[in-house]
Amino acid sequence: MILCAQCSHPNREGSLFCESCGSPLSDQQAVVTATKRLDSTPGDMVAKATWGTARFGEDATIILRIRDVSEPIMLEPANQIILGRKDMTSTNEPDLDLTPYDALDKGVSRIHAAIRRSEDNLTLVDLGSANGTHLNGQRLVPDQPRLLRDGDEVRLGRLVTHIYFR
């Protein structure tokens, strides 16, 4: 996104002139939307441990339920599903864009975490996110996979979801 120096209007990347006032944009720099840093407050969002099955069959589907959102997200399993938010200035895009669920304000990074499939189970991996990934209330160490179970709570920054297998 390029902000116009004259009127501060946000313009699409690659624009030569401001869409609002018509000023040239060629000498201006792109503005990167950084991940919002959140204050960590103990007990802010506590999760209960669950003990659902870890078995994920060949024809199973992942159901992702986001807190306070009525419609679940159905994911077809792949070897890897990247969770995050899109950003106009980044060439890396997640497989599942969480922007419509207030991801920026909830501290979700552009490339936040991954769900990886092995032969008969799923793992969750934090990809070095700014505000961390939590599995059932426990913060994940970046790049270290943790086994996902049916019914687990996954928190990306402050975006709370539950994972179900069907």
Side-chain angles (χ1 to χ4, degrees):
M1 184 182 319
I2 301 173
L3 290 178
C4 176
Q6 300 299 316
C7 69
S8 299
H9 179 78
N11 294 276
R12 286 177 278 180
E13 188 67 32
S15 297
L16 299 176
F17 297 93
C18 178
E19 296 167 357
S20 179
C21 71
S23 296
L25 300 171
S26 59
D27 297 335
Q28 299 179 35
Q29 300 295 320
V31 177
V32 175
T33 308
T35 301
K36 180 179 178 181
R37 284 279 183 183
L38 302 174
D39 296 327
S40 60
T41 50
D44 179 15
M45 301 182 122
V46 179
K48 296 180 206 169
T50 58
W51 296 104
T53 183
R55 179 157 163 45
F56 189 78
E58 276 186 40
D59 56 345
T61 302
I62 302 167
I63 301 169
L64 187 70
R65 284 202 158 276
I66 299 175
R67 183 180 285 172
D68 300 326
V69 174
S70 59
E71 288 297 313
I73 299 169
M74 309 294 274
L75 298 171
E76 290 301 320
N79 288 337
Q80 176 170 276
I81 300 169
I82 303 290
L83 309 174
R85 63 177 172 81
K86 284 187 182 178
D87 187 320
M88 300 287 268
T89 61
S90 178
T91 56
N92 294 333
E93 289 189 1
D95 299 314
L96 177 60
D97 178 22
L98 298 167
T99 303
Y101 309 102
D102 205 20
L104 179 61
D105 287 338
K106 291 182 179 176
V108 177
S109 294
R110 289 179 286 276
I111 303 297
H112 197 104
I115 297 174
R116 295 183 179 153
R117 182 179 188 165
S118 66
E119 204 167 299
D120 64 347
N121 62 36
L122 298 175
T123 56
L124 179 67
V125 181
D126 179 82
L127 299 175
S129 63
N131 293 302
T133 302
H134 293 77
L135 178 60
N136 296 322
Q138 298 213 340
R139 187 172 181 142
L140 302 185
V141 175
D143 300 314
Q144 290 189 8
R146 293 277 302 276
L147 186 65
L148 272 176
R149 296 178 181 274
D150 183 39
D152 278 350
E153 181 181 281
V154 174
R155 184 164 44 98
L156 309 170
R158 288 200 176 132
L159 182 74
V160 179
T161 68
H162 284 87
I163 303 266
Y164 299 98
F165 304 165
R166 179 172 73 180

